[in-house]
Amino acid sequence: MAAKKAKKPAAKKPAAKKPAAKKPAAKKAAVKKPAAKKAAPKKATAKRKPNAAFMKPLMPSAALAAVIGSAAQPRTEVTSKLWAYIKKNGLQDKVNRRNINADDKLREVFGGKKTVSMFEMTKLVSKHLK
């Protein structure tokens, strides 16, 4: 019986060495991955060109000019100045941050509405740009 017990621990030792042999293979795969990542920045170097329609200066109506100024501006600048006005005057709704509570100047731009969602705002503002 003692001879049978001695054979079992001997069989376990080679099994423990087999997983250790797999670890160096995993390290080689990890070494190859950074080499593949070097090719990715070449694709990212191409810059996007801005759309000409967004960059075209447009004249605001008299109601919108009272809020953002009377100079011709591209749509992107109109939106950022409008948000600056909203934040400066605290017109964003405290409970539902998607809504904007219009003051007297913005109520003319928003077509007389007291509250407008931020998604509806761009639609209403586009009517005031020529």
Side-chain angles (χ1 to χ4, degrees), residues 8-79:
K8 288 182 182 177
K12 289 182 181 177
K13 288 181 182 177
K17 290 182 182 178
K18 287 180 183 178
K22 291 180 182 178
K23 289 181 181 177
K27 289 181 182 177
K28 288 181 183 177
V31 173
K32 291 180 183 178
K33 288 181 182 177
K37 289 183 180 179
K38 289 181 182 178
K42 291 179 184 177
K43 293 178 184 176
T45 56
K47 292 185 178 179
R48 290 179 53 189
K49 295 179 183 176
N51 190 345
F54 286 121
M55 303 313 289
K56 180 182 176 184
L58 300 170
M59 288 299 296
S61 67
L64 185 59
V67 178
I68 64 166
S70 59
Q73 300 170 15
R75 289 181 189 272
T76 54
E77 193 65 28
V78 169
T79 304

Side-chain angles (χ1 to χ4, degrees), residues 67-115:
V67 178
I68 64 166
S70 59
Q73 300 170 15
R75 289 181 189 272
T76 54
E77 193 65 28
V78 169
T79 304
S80 58
K81 285 193 176 188
L82 196 59
W83 272 107
Y85 178 82
I86 290 168
K87 289 180 180 180
K88 177 184 172 187
N89 294 314
L91 300 176
Q92 196 169 5
D93 193 50
K94 304 294 183 205
V95 178
N96 188 354
R97 309 267 311 156
R98 292 181 190 166
N99 290 340
I100 295 139
N101 300 321
D103 62 353
D104 293 333
K105 290 181 182 178
L106 280 181
R107 196 168 289 139
E108 293 177 29
V109 176
F110 294 162
K113 294 184 178 182
K114 291 181 181 180
T115 303

